[in-house]
Amino acid sequence: NIDEFKNMVDRFHAHGLEVIMDVVYNHTPEGNEMGPTISFKGIDNASYYRLLPDQPRYYINDTGTGNTVNLSHPRVLQMVTDSLRYWVTEMHVDGFRFDLATILAREPHGFDEGGGFLDSCRQDPVLSSVKLVAEPWDIGPGGYQVGGFPPGWAEWNDQFRDTVRAFWKGD
């Protein structure tokens, strides 16, 4: 419940710990054109999801889950940024780790460091003041963007992770 979450965050803060929420705004459980209609498909499929331009019945699948949320659409972008601001202003989280963050910065032509979502985070008075951590890859074209996120963003570095993992495993 909301009060328990706020209490948890307050207790972490009282002990000098920050709360970074892991969020997934890049896909939904609706899958591809064969998946169930749970919410966004039934509301406005063509706005909420990236669809193949020449065959809009089919989904662009840069996530590996069947669909890719379309943050290029202004209402979808607004929904995501409103959600993030809620978690900061109401629930007092200190930042976010974004799953497959490259997708969030995709525009119709591909990854764009100056794209709508990244610009929104950079310009928003609430979001620009919290910690933003990108998992900087997806499976789409040009999806590996380690080092490609703008100033203010931290990034996971899979090469460092894999090197450290290999060291600890004795590889």
Side-chain angles (χ1 to χ4, degrees):
N1 95 19
I2 292 172
D3 290 332
E4 289 174 341
F5 188 91
K6 286 182 178 181
N7 184 47
M8 176 196 71
V9 172
D10 288 344
R11 294 192 69 177
F12 279 129
H13 287 164
H15 287 86
L17 298 172
E18 293 182 322
V19 177
I20 307 295
M21 246 178 88
D22 187 80
V23 292
V24 180
Y25 290 107
N26 59 66
H27 71 275
T28 72
E30 290 186 289
N32 63 14
E33 62 280 352
M34 303 299 289
T37 298
I38 300 171
S39 62
F40 296 145
K41 274 186 187 181
I43 294 170
D44 188 355
N45 189 54
S47 294
Y48 282 100
Y49 295 108
R50 291 193 184 280
L51 305 173
L52 291 177
D54 56 336
Q55 293 182 296
R57 174 175 186 243
Y58 297 102
Y59 291 72
I60 293 172
N61 181 20
D62 292 336
T63 64
T65 65
N67 64 62
T68 301
V69 173
N70 182 16
L71 270 84
S72 295
H73 190 281
R75 296 293 72 82
V76 178
L77 176 61
Q78 180 183 7
M79 175 189 67
V80 170
T81 54
D82 285 351
S83 170
L84 293 168
R85 279 191 298 275
Y86 169 82
W87 285 105
V88 174
T89 59
E90 298 297 320
M91 306 305 263
H92 306 250
V93 301
D94 301 291
F96 304 95
R97 177 267 182 192
F98 294 90
D99 184 69
L100 300 180
T102 299
I103 284 171
L104 306 177
R106 278 190 183 278
E107 296 298 333
H109 59 275
F111 178 83
D112 185 349
E113 181 184 327
F117 177 73
L118 297 179
D119 272 353
S120 292
C121 291
R122 182 177 22 249
Q123 297 172 12
D124 188 275
V126 172
L127 300 179
S128 64
S129 67
V130 299
K131 291 175 174 55
L132 303 170
V133 182
E135 179 185 47
W137 52 78
D138 65 31
I139 65 169
Y144 191 75
Q145 291 296 325
V146 172
F149 279 74
W153 280 79
E155 298 177 9
W156 280 21
N157 182 328
D158 63 320
Q159 293 176 7
F160 176 78
R161 175 201 63 207
D162 293 348
T163 300
V164 170
R165 180 185 295 152
F167 172 78
W168 284 109
K169 288 175 53 186
D171 297 350

